[in-house]
């Protein structure tokens, strides 16, 4: 491993030298346009070769990464509560009736987003879409936009209840 570190250091130094030489000699006053283009091309080739050597080729990627935090593309889940299930969490329902903006900010914060997301036009619809994809709940982006626009307070209450249920807070 010591030899490979030395090789990597030498290649990195050579790449740095090529870059510095390329940029210092790149002024049009010091060279003709033909010389400049040729020197620039050879510097780029050397830089590319150096970067190839510097990359770790001992662990090639054999499989592609998974779907990430969204789980599978097949969505079979449902929301834990209905749109008008305010009695299932009276604290959320009361906060939604008294100050809907505070509930939206609370919901965004509990979901791990910036508190100001509630004040951004379309922010809650985007968060609902992300939440739906994360939790594997059926639906469409159009449905997310319509639900947050037409049923704003009720949908924000449902999203807050969903987060509390998924986090085990109720």
């Amino acid at each position: 491993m010591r030899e490979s570190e030395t090789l990597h250091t030498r290649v990195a130094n050579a790449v740095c030298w090529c870059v510095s030489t390329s940029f210092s000699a790149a002024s049009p006053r010091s060279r003709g346009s033909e010389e400049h283009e040729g020197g620039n091309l050879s510097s780029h080739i050397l830089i590319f070769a150096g970067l190839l050597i510097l990359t770790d080729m001992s662990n090639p990627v054999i499989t592609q990464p998974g779907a990430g935090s969204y789980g599978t593309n097949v969505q079979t889940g449902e929301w834990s509560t209905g749109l008008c299930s305010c009695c299932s969490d009276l604290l959320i329902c009361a906060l939604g009736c008294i100050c809907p903006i505070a509930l939206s900010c609370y919901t965004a914060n509990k979901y791990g987003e910036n508190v100001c997301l509630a004040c951004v036009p379309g922010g809650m619809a985007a968060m609902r879409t992300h939440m739906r994809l994360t939790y594997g709940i059926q639906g469409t982006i159009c449905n997310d936009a319509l639900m947050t626009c037409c049923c704003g307070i009720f949908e924000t209450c449902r999203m807050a209840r969903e987060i509390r249920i998924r986090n085990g807070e109720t």
Side-chain angles (χ1 to χ4, degrees):
M1 183 150 213
R2 187 90 172 164
E3 292 176 17
S4 65
E5 288 176 9
T6 306
L7 176 64
H8 287 161
T9 305
R10 287 181 186 170
V11 170
N13 289 337
V15 168
C16 290
W17 178 80
C18 288
V19 170
S20 65
T21 305
S22 174
F23 285 122
S24 66
S27 76
R29 286 179 240 140
S30 64
R31 293 181 171 216
S33 62
E34 293 173 8
E35 260 187 287
H36 171 64
E37 289 174 9
N40 200 8
L41 179 62
S42 63
S43 295
H44 288 312
I45 291 171
L46 285 173
I47 291 169
F48 182 71
L51 290 174
L52 284 177
I53 293 171
L54 284 175
T55 57
D56 184 18
M57 299 303 285
S58 61
N59 294 324
V61 176
I62 296 172
T63 60
Q64 292 296 321
S69 64
Y70 300 121
T72 62
N73 290 332
V74 179
Q75 297 175 353
T76 58
E78 296 289 331
W79 292 96
S80 299
T81 59
L83 186 62
C84 298
S85 300
C86 290
C87 294
S88 63
D89 194 339
L90 293 176
L91 177 67
I92 295 295
C93 184
L95 185 60
C97 290
I98 295 169
C99 188
I101 292 292
L103 178 64
S104 297
C105 292
Y106 167 81
T107 304
N109 185 38
K110 291 300 274 185
Y111 191 63
E113 291 293 333
N114 191 318
V115 178
C116 298
L117 182 67
C119 302
V120 175
M124 293 306 286
M127 190 173 87
R128 184 182 193 270
T129 301
H130 190 272
M131 183 182 297
R132 203 175 40 72
L133 291 172
T134 301
Y135 297 149
I137 298 171
Q138 293 178 349
T140 62
I141 295 173
C142 183
N143 186 26
D144 296 334
L146 289 173
M147 292 299 288
T148 55
C149 180
C150 299
C151 308
I153 296 171
F154 295 110
E155 189 55 45
T156 303
C157 288
R158 176 162 64 175
M159 289 166 54
R161 286 192 306 267
E162 189 73 27
I163 292 169
R164 287 173 52 98
I165 289 169
R166 300 278 179 154
N167 290 339
E169 296 175 10
T170 56

